[in-house]
């Protein structure tokens, strides 16, 4: 049976990098692509940044490739993650050959809890002078993340992973997160090394090679993975996956990049590598690895987009990847 892939370009450079990644997918697999809308543009036209039919398309698909949303991002990506039942956000940060990286030895993966923390959406205005934000952490979500992390490192032949937290201050919430994650790891015979997230922010730029897989709460994963992006050449190179039990959504980390949207020069590599992660998630391991190798070859030898010092267009880079396949 042919897998169905939902495709949502969204706003800004999403309309340029997502079609580029779809061309790469078409070169290596026989998928049925179903296009849907979300983001600022559809909100302006219809009043709803995420139409019901888009939510249903994503929920019914085998996987989704998403570009980016602008001002309506929270109203789009959070429900989309819900639509695929995502409980973990997988964000690799790796320096590639040929890219002028601040720390070329960087090669790590963040496994970020994807449903809770301060992103659970519980904000209130209690008075004209006071607003509150409720942080949500459950044992069950933390354990589900930990089970995924144990399987992730075991499949890759690693002994264990780091757990980044701030349990010395947020004793109840991060304490619960830490205890749940380390307990599951212990039960699975997987080693864990704890690191306070502020200390991690110092240690990572100084010696990134000491980290392989980092398990962290929602907000910490968001911020720390962006820090890692600065070590490898920028957000234009970072893919991500929102993984659920039976469904998943894949997206570049860079957002809409409004300063270059419409110019045809956005770097499609993060979206293409996100597509490689999609392939691997669906069991097309050889095709996913082939796409990664093709991207690495293009990054090493060119052509490159202006953010990497080149002059190539988005389409030229995508075609170069396809030609290497």
């Amino acid at each position: 049976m042919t897998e169905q892939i939902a495709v949502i370009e969204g706003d800004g450079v999403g309309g340029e990098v997502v079609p580029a990644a779809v061309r790469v997918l078409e070169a290596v697999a026989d998928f049925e692509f179903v296009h849907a809308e979300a983001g600022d543009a559809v909100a302006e036209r219809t009043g709803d940044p995420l139409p019901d039919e888009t939510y249903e398309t994503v929920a019914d698909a085998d996987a989704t490739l998403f570009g980016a949303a602008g001002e309506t991002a929270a109203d789009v990506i959070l429900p989309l993650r819900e639509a695929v039942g995502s409980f973990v956000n997988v964000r690799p940060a790796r320096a590639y050959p040929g890219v002028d990286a601040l720390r070329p030895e960087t090669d790590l993966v963040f496994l970020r809890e994807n449903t809770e923390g301060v992103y659970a959406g519980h904000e209130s205005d209690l008075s004209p002078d006071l607003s509150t934000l409720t942080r949500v952490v459950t044992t069950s979500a933390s354990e589900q993340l930990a089970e995924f992390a144990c399987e992730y490192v075991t499949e890759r032949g690693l002994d264990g992973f780091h757990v980044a937290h701030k349990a010395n201050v947020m004793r109840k919430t991060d304490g619960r997160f830490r205890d749940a994650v380390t307990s599951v790891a212990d039960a699975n015979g997987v080693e864990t090394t704890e690191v306070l997230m502020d200390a991690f922010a110092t240690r990572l730029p100084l010696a990134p090679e000491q980290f392989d897989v980092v398990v962290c709460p929602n907000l910490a994963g968001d911020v720390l993975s962006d820090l890692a992006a600065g070590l490898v050449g920028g957000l234009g190179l970072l893919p991500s996956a929102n993984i659920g039990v039976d469904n998943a959504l894949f997206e570049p980390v860079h957002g809409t990049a409004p300063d270059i949207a419409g110019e045809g020069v956005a770097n499609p590599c993060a979206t293409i590598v996100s597509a490689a992660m999609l392939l691997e998630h669906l069991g097309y391991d050889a095709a996913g690895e082939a796409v990664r190798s093709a991207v690495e070859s293009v990054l090493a030898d060119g052509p490159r987009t202006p953010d990497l010092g080149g002059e190539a267009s988005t389409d030229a880079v995508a075609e170069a990847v396809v030609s290497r396949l």
Side-chain angles (χ1 to χ4, degrees):
M1 181 177 177
T2 301
E3 288 94 343
Q4 186 178 88
I5 309 300
V7 177
I8 306 173
E9 296 179 3
D11 302 312
V13 297
E16 301 162 51
V17 296
V18 171
V22 168
R23 289 204 299 276
V24 173
L25 287 174
E26 289 174 333
V28 296
D30 183 21
F31 293 133
E32 176 189 355
F33 295 99
V34 181
H35 293 265
E37 293 183 309
D40 296 356
V42 67
E44 292 176 5
R45 192 174 73 250
T46 68
D48 187 354
L50 184 66
D52 290 342
E53 55 266 32
T54 296
Y55 185 98
E56 293 166 3
T57 295
V58 169
D60 292 340
D62 293 291
T64 296
L65 184 64
F66 173 62
E71 295 298 322
T72 58
D75 300 313
V76 173
I77 191 57
L78 296 181
L80 286 180
R81 289 172 179 169
E82 176 187 88
V84 301
S86 173
F87 61 88
V88 56
N89 182 259
V90 182
R91 286 196 179 187
R94 177 187 175 196
Y96 291 98
V99 175
D100 185 16
L102 184 63
R103 289 293 187 185
E105 65 271 33
T106 305
D107 186 3
L108 72 159
V109 176
F110 292 90
L111 303 181
R112 163 190 168 194
E113 200 287 317
N114 215 24
T115 65
E116 299 185 332
V118 296
Y119 288 177
H122 302 295
E123 291 189 274
S124 300
D125 290 322
L126 300 186
S127 77
D129 186 52
L130 175 62
S131 298
T132 63
L133 171 63
T134 300
R135 188 168 191 258
V136 177
V137 176
T138 66
T139 298
S140 55
S142 302
E143 288 178 342
Q144 188 176 30
L145 170 65
E147 292 285 0
F148 180 92
C150 290
E151 182 177 344
Y152 189 92
V153 298
T154 299
E155 289 179 349
R156 288 156 179 79
L158 301 174
D159 293 328
F161 54 82
H162 281 78
V163 184
H165 61 77
K166 194 64 177 170
N168 61 326
V169 174
M170 296 180 284
R171 296 171 183 168
K172 296 296 184 181
T173 50
D174 262 26
R176 179 181 294 274
F177 174 83
R178 175 202 59 198
D179 293 347
V181 170
T182 55
S183 177
V184 168
D186 288 344
N188 284 274
V190 173
E191 297 177 7
T192 57
T193 303
E194 296 183 36
V195 56
L196 295 177
M197 61 179 70
D198 49 348
F200 177 90
T202 298
R203 291 171 57 187
L204 179 64
L206 295 175
E209 69 277 3
Q210 66 188 295
F211 300 108
D212 289 316
V213 176
V214 182
V215 176
C216 45
N218 205 335
L219 175 60
D222 193 2
V223 174
L224 295 175
S225 61
D226 279 9
L227 171 62
L231 305 181
V232 302
L235 290 173
L237 295 173
L238 263 64
S240 74
N242 300 280
I243 305 295
V245 175
D246 299 311
N247 203 339
L249 180 146
F250 301 83
E251 58 174 326
V253 177
H254 55 59
T256 60
D259 55 323
I260 59 170
E263 297 181 10
V265 295
N267 188 343
C269 290
T271 314
I272 294 173
V273 178
S274 297
M277 296 175 73
L278 181 154
L279 287 164
E280 291 163 346
H281 175 74
L282 294 178
Y284 295 84
D285 293 344
E289 182 56 35
V291 171
R292 284 180 202 279
S293 296
V295 170
E296 290 181 14
S297 175
V298 170
L299 287 172
D301 302 328
R304 302 189 187 98
T305 44
D307 62 307
L308 298 180
E311 299 179 352
S313 67
T314 304
D315 288 342
V317 171
E319 289 304 319
V321 172
V322 171
S323 71
R324 283 163 172 78
L325 291 168

